[in-house]
């Protein structure tokens, strides 16, 4: 046995290694099962899965990649938060400085392209789930969870789009959030909103309608920036993380990846 | 610098105006939309043939050749190399590839079922251990994905335009690319439909899918033959009304949201398209030969009188048409689904169908609204 091999064995037989991995080297059925069972991350998976379910051409690994891209977004996002201040004075210049002065200034690129990739991946994941009929019983509910996750993913992308506070950001969000102005009953240019009044005094106007709620103002300004920042960095990720946990839990409870009955 | 040398050097080579004009012409909204639909339906009808690897390879090469040749055109190139548009090129390739992969397996499975052979997914009771069979696949996917992202991040800088300025609106102002399909619908619908109602219906409709698709077959394996209606409807929604509209909104909409062919310069001074007549004009003026009513009529407010024809049309569409469908094309499905499920299905289906209907009305009659109660912003 080579020096490295001997050294490897020495490490694996020592107390430190044994305290972390409470099973032998995964070389036989029992230790391989233990490798999955005794690891908090891996035990998202069952110990054994149906052969057809893990064929790459069946799942395209798209759900897994969506999740991986989500993790990339979380990690790069947290790192970005060290550099970025969500105020009109600083936001743009923090982003600019990130490019100019920060070592590993790729952070922002990774975060932005990862977000685009996640949007594409989640759509493809939905496409594969549809084409394999995997939303059919007993997986109806998990499909619904997935749809909400897709909406959250788009909202994450949308709220993040504003943060660089450049022209692209401001006007894309202006176009997008103008839609809220047209919400039926709740937007001040929405259908029938003028009927929501008390004795002729309108209850829905530019200063309190759905768009105002979204932007904390009547235009995309400092309040909108702060609001989108909090939604983007805290609120939506927390909800999405919880729902992803539900999604994964339900995949197992619904009998694992679907296959012909 | 390199970019400009490249484009200038190649403009001369890529200048074949007749072809470009023809392509510009068929990219107009109506042709683009109709041809995409035709392409999709031809593909679905011949899916067993068209998914053969030779065909797929040919389509891939043809599209790539088209794309590369088009990139010789400076106007086209300037659009596709915008950093935020790069994902759209990726999306087109990935969507094409995975749609092919899915339908290829459906074709194989459908043929196998006819011949009494086992499915691709057969042997689903054979189990394998997650370690190593799954975790290794996952790890390889993860490494490849990381490499891909890293390369992308090194090669392409994230865009950063001048600082936000509330008083200078860029023209065109575009929503983020994944919402461009909805922004495109603004051409045909008011914001309350394109921006609020339709997105809401998409979400509700998607969640409702498993509850209104009662077809027990095709659960857990690729097939097209056993689920033709469900898959066709979904593909029209996904490929045409989402992906194609995004591509259209990105590449072919310029200043003032005017249409520009792929090889046309985005001229901000091109006048906006002129609208448009409402259904009430057609009904009262053209058909009845009288002025549009402006008075209340036996207690009914004038705007309801004025819009009565359009309202009748919509009521007929959403209330009578479903009954007709129930006894004709959807007869078998209506029996299978039962009243409530059928009602929900047909409601969602008709909303989806209203999109191409409204488009067609615009292209043929230049029609703006079917019902226009502008008094309450209630325009359909
Ligand atoms: C953050 C977003 C999401 C993540 C991280 C995620 C992750 C996953 C993963 C890892 C799987 C295992 C199988 C596979 O990889 O295909 C899965 C399965 C599934 N996903 Fe998702 N998903 C997401 C969004 C969605 C969406 C948008 C839908 C549908 C609209 C959806 C519906 C389903 C269903 C029904 C299954 C079970 C499929 C089967 O058993 O074959 N998920 N998801």
């Amino acid at each position: 046995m080579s020096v490295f091999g001997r050294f490897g064995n020495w490490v694996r037989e020592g107390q430190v290694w044994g305290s972390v991995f409470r099973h032998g080297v995964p070389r036989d059925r029992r230790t391989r099962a233990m490798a999955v069972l005794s690891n908090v991350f891996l035990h998202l998976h069952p110990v054994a899965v149906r052969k057809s379910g893990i064929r790459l051409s069946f799942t395209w690994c798209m759900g897994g990649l969506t999740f991986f891209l989500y993790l990339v977004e979380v990690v790069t996002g947290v790192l970005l938060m060290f550099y970025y201040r969500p105020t009109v004075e600083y936001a743009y210049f923090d982003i600019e400085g990130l490019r100019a002065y920060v070592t590993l200034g790729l952070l922002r690129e990774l975060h932005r392209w990862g977000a685009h990739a996640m949007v594409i991946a989640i759509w493809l994941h939905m496409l594969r789930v549809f084409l394999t009929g995997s939303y059919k019983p007993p997986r109806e509910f998990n499909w619904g969870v997935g749809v909400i996750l897709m909406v959250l993913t788009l909202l994450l992308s949308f709220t993040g789009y504003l943060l660089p506070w450049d022209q692209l950001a401001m006007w894309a969000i202006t176009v997008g959030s103008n839609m809220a102005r047209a919400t039926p009953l709740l937007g001040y240019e929405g259908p029938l909103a003028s009927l929501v009044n008390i004795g002729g005094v309108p209850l829905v106007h530019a200063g309190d309608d759905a768009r105002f709620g979204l932007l904390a103002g009547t235009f995309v300004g400092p309040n909108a920036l702060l609001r989108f920042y909090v939604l983007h960095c805290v609120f939506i990720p927390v909800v999405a993380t919880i729902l992803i946990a539900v999604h994964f839990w339900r995949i197992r409870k619904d009998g694992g990846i679907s296959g012909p009955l | 610098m390199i970019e400009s040398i490249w484009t200038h050097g190649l403009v001369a080579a890529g200048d074949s105006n007749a072809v470009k004009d023809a392509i510009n012409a068929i990219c107009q909204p109506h042709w683009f939309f109709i041809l995409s639909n035709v392409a999709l339906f031809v593909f679905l009808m011949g899916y067993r043939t068209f998914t053969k690897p030779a065909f797929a390879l040919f389509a891939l090469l043809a599209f790539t050749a088209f794309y590369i040749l088009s990139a010789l055109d400076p106007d086209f190139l300037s659009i596709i190399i915008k950093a935020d548009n790069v994902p759209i090129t990726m999306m087109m390739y990935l969507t094409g590839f995975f749609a092919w992969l899915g339908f290829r397996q459906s074709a194989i499975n459908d043929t196998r079922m006819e011949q009494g052979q086992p499915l691709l997914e057969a042997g689903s009771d054979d189990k394998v251990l997650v370690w190593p069979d799954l975790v290794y696949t996952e790890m390889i996917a993860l490494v490849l994905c990381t490499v891909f992202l890293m390369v992308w991040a090194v090669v392409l800088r994230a865009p950063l335009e001048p600082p936000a300025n509330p008083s200078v609106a860029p023209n065109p102002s575009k929503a983020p690319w994944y919402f461009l399909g909805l922004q495109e619908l603004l051409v045909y619908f008011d914001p309350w439909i394109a921006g609020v109602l339709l997105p809401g219906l998409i979400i509700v409709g998607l969640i409702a899918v498993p509850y209104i698709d009662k077809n027990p077959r095709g659960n857990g394996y690729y097939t097209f033959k056993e689920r033709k209606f469900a898959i066709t409807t979904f593909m029209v929604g996904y490929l045409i009304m989402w992906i194609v509209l995004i591509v259209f909104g990105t590449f072919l909409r310029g200043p003032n949201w005017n249409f520009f062919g792929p090889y046309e310069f985005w001229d901000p001074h091109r006048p906006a398209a002129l609208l448009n007549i409402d259904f009430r004009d057609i009904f009262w003026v053209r058909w009845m030969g009288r002025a549009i009513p402006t008075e209340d009529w036996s207690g009914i407010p004038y705007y309801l009188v004025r819009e009565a024809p359009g309202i009748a049309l919509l009521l007929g569409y959403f209330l009578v048409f479903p009954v007709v469908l129930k006894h004709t094309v959807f007869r078998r499905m209506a029996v299978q689904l039962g009243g409530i499920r059928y009602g929900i299905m047909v409601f969602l289906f008709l909303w989806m169908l209203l999109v191409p209907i409204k488009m067609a009305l615009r292209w043929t009659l230049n029609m703006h609204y079917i019902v226009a109660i502008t008094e309450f912003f209630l325009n359909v």
Side-chain angles (χ1 to χ4, degrees):
Chain A
M1 197 183 270
S2 71
V3 183
F4 291 114
R6 283 221 299 280
F7 178 71
N9 277 351
W10 178 76
V11 170
R12 271 192 228 114
E13 280 154 19
Q15 187 187 357
V16 177
W17 183 276
S19 70
V20 180
F21 302 104
R22 300 182 159 248
H23 51 78
V25 185
R27 281 193 191 123
D28 56 29
R29 240 194 115 76
R30 199 188 72 86
T31 42
R32 284 175 169 173
M34 287 296 289
V36 172
L37 270 178
S38 64
N39 181 308
V40 67
F41 304 108
L42 289 182
H43 103 288
L44 271 177
H45 296 303
V47 168
V49 284
R50 274 199 235 99
K51 207 169 171 179
S52 72
I54 60 166
R55 267 176 47 241
L56 201 55
S57 55
F58 186 74
T59 61
W60 314 341
C61 206
M62 266 313 153
L65 284 180
T66 309
F67 182 54
F68 174 62
L69 288 166
Y70 182 72
L71 294 181
V72 169
E73 292 305 287
V74 172
V75 172
T76 53
V78 168
L79 292 175
L80 282 171
M81 286 172 78
F82 285 127
Y83 296 101
Y84 174 87
R85 287 161 290 180
T87 63
V88 174
E89 293 90 328
Y90 296 130
Y92 182 81
F93 300 100
D94 285 349
I95 297 284
E96 218 182 20
L98 195 71
R99 176 181 280 183
Y101 308 120
V102 178
T103 319
L104 287 177
L106 280 185
L107 271 183
R108 180 167 171 244
E109 273 70 23
L110 285 175
H111 195 70
R112 192 174 185 101
W113 303 142
H116 287 325
M118 185 178 167
V119 169
I120 298 173
I122 200 171
W123 289 347
L124 292 174
H125 173 53
M126 181 171 79
L127 177 66
R128 108 72 193 151
V129 171
F130 194 94
L131 287 182
T132 55
S134 304
Y135 58 80
K136 299 190 175 201
R139 298 184 179 78
E140 309 98 309
F141 177 74
N142 218 14
W143 166 268
V145 174
V147 174
I148 305 292
L149 276 171
M150 181 173 67
V151 175
L152 291 176
T153 304
L154 292 178
L155 288 179
L156 272 172
S157 276
F158 184 70
T159 48
Y161 217 80
L162 182 64
L163 304 182
W165 203 246
D166 61 347
Q167 280 289 71
L168 195 64
M170 159 168 270
W171 290 97
I173 302 308
T174 304
V175 171
S177 59
N178 273 347
M179 298 294 145
R181 197 158 64 181
T183 315
L185 296 175
L186 298 178
Y188 86 106
E189 282 180 4
L192 306 181
S194 55
L195 298 184
V196 187
N197 63 50
I198 298 179
V201 180
L203 290 184
V204 178
H205 49 79
D208 71 348
D209 70 338
R211 181 159 160 278
F212 192 93
L214 190 64
L215 297 182
T218 52
F219 61 97
V220 179
N223 292 346
L225 182 56
L226 183 60
R227 189 158 289 199
F228 274 45
Y229 176 77
V230 174
L231 287 173
H232 184 77
C233 300
V234 184
F235 186 76
I236 308 179
V238 167
V239 179
T241 305
I242 294 172
L243 282 182
I244 289 176
V246 175
H247 196 60
F248 288 174
W249 170 256
R250 283 301 292 239
I251 294 173
R252 291 194 59 173
K253 293 293 142 181
D254 294 340
I257 307 225
S258 61
L261 303 175
Chain B
M1 184 57 192
I2 295 174
E3 252 157 38
S4 84
I5 294 174
W6 194 44
T7 40
H8 287 108
L10 292 176
V11 173
D15 216 45
S16 50
N17 280 325
V19 180
K20 282 189 184 175
D21 289 347
I23 295 180
N24 280 337
I26 61 166
C27 283
Q28 288 174 65
H30 53 286
W31 284 122
F32 200 80
F33 197 75
I34 292 171
L35 290 177
S36 323
N37 271 302
V38 170
L40 176 62
F41 277 89
V42 168
F43 172 78
L44 289 181
M45 267 158 26
Y47 72 107
R48 294 191 205 202
T49 311
F50 293 124
T51 51
K52 294 216 167 103
F55 271 101
L57 194 65
F58 174 75
L60 175 71
L61 293 178
F63 183 73
T64 306
F66 164 77
Y67 221 68
I68 292 178
L69 285 177
S70 296
L72 301 180
D73 181 280
D75 295 312
F76 188 85
L77 187 71
S78 71
I79 300 176
I80 57 170
I81 58 170
K82 263 185 77 176
D84 264 346
N85 288 349
V86 170
I88 300 182
T89 301
M90 288 184 196
M91 177 185 72
M92 287 197 283
Y93 273 97
L94 290 172
T95 309
F97 173 76
F98 283 109
W100 168 75
L101 185 60
F103 277 91
R104 171 80 188 141
Q105 297 181 74
S106 302
I108 295 176
N109 270 345
D110 290 345
T111 310
R112 287 189 173 196
M113 278 188 281
E114 278 158 19
Q115 298 169 346
Q117 290 170 353
L119 296 168
L120 288 169
E121 291 86 356
S124 61
D125 290 334
D126 305 350
K127 293 221 165 183
V128 291
L129 285 177
V130 161
W131 185 297
D133 287 87
L134 181 54
V135 285
Y136 275 55
T137 317
E138 285 175 339
M139 199 184 73
I140 293 168
L142 194 144
V143 169
L144 291 180
C145 183
T146 311
V147 171
F148 179 75
L149 260 184
M150 285 289 201
V151 172
W152 188 0
V154 171
V155 172
L156 199 68
R157 290 233 115 167
L160 189 64
E161 293 193 358
N165 182 346
S167 54
V168 182
N171 187 10
S173 288
K174 291 194 177 185
W177 63 270
Y178 34 82
F179 288 147
L180 281 186
L182 296 173
Q183 197 175 359
E184 175 62 18
L185 289 182
L186 281 176
V187 175
Y188 306 97
F189 291 98
D190 268 12
W192 76 275
I193 295 184
V196 184
L197 189 68
L198 287 178
L201 285 176
I202 294 173
I203 297 168
V204 173
L206 280 175
I207 293 179
V209 161
Y211 305 97
I212 52 186
D213 176 3
K214 295 304 282 179
N215 178 357
R217 280 174 303 171
N219 184 344
Y221 54 96
Y222 287 99
T223 170
F224 177 55
K225 195 178 162 210
E226 297 186 334
R227 307 169 51 210
K228 280 202 162 139
F229 177 73
I231 291 186
T232 306
T233 315
F234 186 79
M235 294 316 278
V236 170
Y238 184 94
L239 287 183
I240 307 280
M241 288 163 68
W242 197 255
I243 304 287
V244 165
L245 286 188
I246 288 177
V247 171
F248 192 85
T250 312
F251 293 155
L252 302 170
R253 288 292 183 187
N256 307 326
W257 209 252
N258 271 328
F259 164 77
F260 288 86
Y263 315 120
E264 283 183 300
F265 171 65
W266 280 14
D267 176 7
H269 303 296
R270 177 183 285 198
L274 280 184
L275 288 183
N276 285 320
I277 49 175
D278 299 328
F279 183 62
R280 62 174 182 228
D281 303 310
I282 297 180
F283 182 85
W284 295 114
V285 181
R286 214 179 281 173
W287 293 353
M288 293 288 129
R290 50 157 293 179
I292 295 171
T294 51
E295 309 273 300
D296 292 4
W297 181 72
S298 47
I300 303 175
Y302 69 96
Y303 48 83
L304 290 184
V305 179
R306 185 188 68 207
E307 301 302 333
I311 294 175
L313 210 58
L314 280 188
L315 287 181
Y317 180 72
F318 280 110
L319 297 179
V320 183
F321 195 35
V323 183
V324 177
L325 289 175
K326 185 173 173 176
H327 294 288
T328 52
V329 275
F330 286 161
R331 193 168 48 207
R332 276 227 324 275
M333 199 188 328
V335 174
Q336 195 191 19
L337 291 187
I340 297 178
R341 283 197 171 87
Y342 174 76
I344 297 174
M345 191 285 291
V346 100
F347 175 77
L348 294 166
F349 184 79
L350 287 181
W351 264 108
M352 194 169 155
L353 194 65
L354 196 62
V355 175
I357 290 180
K358 237 1 260 274
M359 290 177 164
L361 288 175
R362 174 66 54 82
W363 299 329
T364 52
L365 303 174
N366 201 21
M367 190 190 287
H368 195 190
Y369 293 127
I370 299 172
V371 170
I373 309 182
T374 18
E375 289 82 354
F376 296 104
F377 297 114
L378 189 63
N379 309 317
V380 181

